[in-house]
Amino acid sequence: MPVTPAAQVTISEVGPRDGLQSVTAIMPTAAKLRWIEALHAAGLREIEVASFVPAKLLPQMADAAEVVRHARALAGLTVMALVLNLQGAQAALDAGAHKLTIPVSASPAHSMANVRRTPQDMVEQVRAIVALRDASAQPTGVEVGISTAFGCTLQGAVPEDDVIRLAVALAQAGVDEIGLSDTTGMANPVQVRRLFTRLRAELGDRAGAAHMHNTRGLGLANCLAAYDVGVRTFDSSLGGLGGCPYAPGASGNVVTEDLVFMFEAMGVGTGVILEKLIAARAPLMAGLPGEPLYGMTPEAGLPQGFAQDAAHA
Ligand code: ZN
């Protein structure tokens, strides 16, 4: 009797949000929904599907509420939405997102440039969002990804003490999970091990996901480094869509297909079926004609004889 093995890591697909908001083309709603359904069919059980920001700033996300409502119908799927303020959080709660994710930058320069608030102001904003969630009596999770945790193109080095202090302040503000993002692709595996080890020592099971970028080719190495020190949730995007507007020809986000291949080849269950994951590139390409996709595994194909656990299939 086939029993689906419990996934040992969670692959959190961010393409429909992080990816789509980084490209200028607007994917039609129906195409987004087909793509999200294909990702779900491949076994992904956490997908960041939209960003609740004013449509005049991000027309790509104008259909956020509709996309969330539709994704909620997919069995077993945790539907995540990015929010930046109370207004966005309210809209995401109204649409029924299961988890809100809020980016908070450790670099004051990056924070001011991105959201015109200091990191301290953002902690207060997050505290208000947690209060809104609590008042809604919905079981919605609130998580933060600390951006520029490993370095910042504006500020340069970001002191690790600043990152940890910010993480602790966010935990005290009531955030359920706090992860670290290599927004600018500056992290290396030694740094990743050190910072996630400190984060986990400070926050215990409130320490969250690794959001790594492949800007300089270290995305998978950094994910593995995080895995080695106990991280079990990893953000990535199908075809490496999004994440890096500065380096044409280089993927920004870690490529989901390559990440899943790495873990599955190591015997670490992801719950994702690679053939179906690679097939999910078709609806993505159909919805964004001409947009370059990345990934070594889809290009090379699966190794001969590579078989995922029969129970997966
Ligand atoms: Zn990213």
Side-chain angles (χ1 to χ4, degrees):
M1 210 28 58
V3 176
T4 305
Q8 293 159 285
V9 292
T10 298
I11 306 298
S12 186
E13 169 67 41
V14 301
R17 196 283 302 169
D18 188 330
L20 289 186
Q21 80 174 48
S22 316
V23 299
T24 43
I26 297 175
M27 192 190 265
T29 307
K32 284 189 191 180
L33 302 182
R34 271 195 297 276
W35 178 30
I36 290 167
E37 280 168 15
L39 294 167
H40 175 261
L44 288 159
R45 288 297 175 264
E46 185 168 296
I47 306 180
E48 200 173 311
V49 300
S51 177
F52 282 82
V53 292
K56 64 177 192 304
L57 296 180
L58 269 183
Q60 300 94 318
M61 295 291 141
D63 55 3
E66 190 183 347
V67 173
V68 166
R69 277 195 293 267
H70 183 91
R72 275 175 53 87
L74 298 171
L77 182 66
T78 298
V79 178
M80 292 183 72
L82 183 138
V83 303
L84 292 171
N85 54 33
L86 279 171
Q87 207 182 351
Q90 185 65 62
L93 287 168
D94 290 345
H98 298 125
K99 260 192 195 181
L100 311 182
T101 180
I102 311 159
V104 176
S105 190
S107 150
H110 183 263
S111 192
M112 289 308 291
N114 244 16
V115 291
R116 294 198 198 92
R117 290 177 193 271
T118 64
Q120 290 71 29
D121 287 347
M122 278 305 290
V123 172
E124 293 317 308
Q125 188 69 216
V126 168
R127 195 188 309 278
I129 292 171
V130 170
L132 187 73
R133 184 274 312 267
D134 293 346
S136 78
Q138 282 171 243
T140 313
V142 174
E143 88 174 42
V144 165
I146 297 186
S147 37
T148 64
F150 300 91
C152 170
T153 39
L154 300 172
Q155 170 180 317
V158 173
E160 293 182 0
D161 287 347
D162 289 2
V163 176
I164 296 301
R165 209 176 303 120
L166 180 58
V168 169
L170 288 161
Q172 285 166 350
V175 175
D176 301 311
E177 262 179 70
I178 297 136
L180 302 178
S181 303
D182 183 22
T183 314
T184 54
M186 291 164 78
N188 68 70
V190 168
Q191 184 188 17
V192 168
R193 260 186 221 114
R194 195 170 55 227
L195 202 48
F196 267 108
T197 299
R198 282 189 67 182
L199 185 76
R200 292 174 56 77
E202 289 287 345
L203 303 188
D205 58 14
R206 282 197 190 188
H211 182 108
M212 296 299 161
H213 277 192
N214 203 35
T215 316
R216 294 178 174 81
L218 298 190
L220 285 185
N222 287 332
C223 286
L224 184 58
Y227 176 80
D228 284 344
V229 295
V231 174
R232 292 295 177 266
T233 303
F234 300 86
D235 293 356
S236 60
S237 76
L238 195 80
L241 192 71
C244 187
Y246 309 109
S251 159
N253 286 314
V254 166
V255 175
T256 305
E257 300 90 311
D258 292 341
L259 183 65
V260 167
F261 175 71
M262 178 182 80
F263 281 128
E264 291 287 330
M266 290 166 58
V268 175
T270 61
V272 178
I273 302 153
L274 269 162
E275 283 89 348
K276 290 190 182 178
L277 185 65
I278 291 169
R281 289 162 74 99
L284 166 55
M285 286 188 279
L288 279 184
E291 193 63 37
L293 297 187
Y294 306 99
M296 314 292 268
T297 304
E299 228 163 87
L302 297 177
Q304 210 164 19
F306 181 86
Q308 288 185 286
D309 192 299
H312 275 61

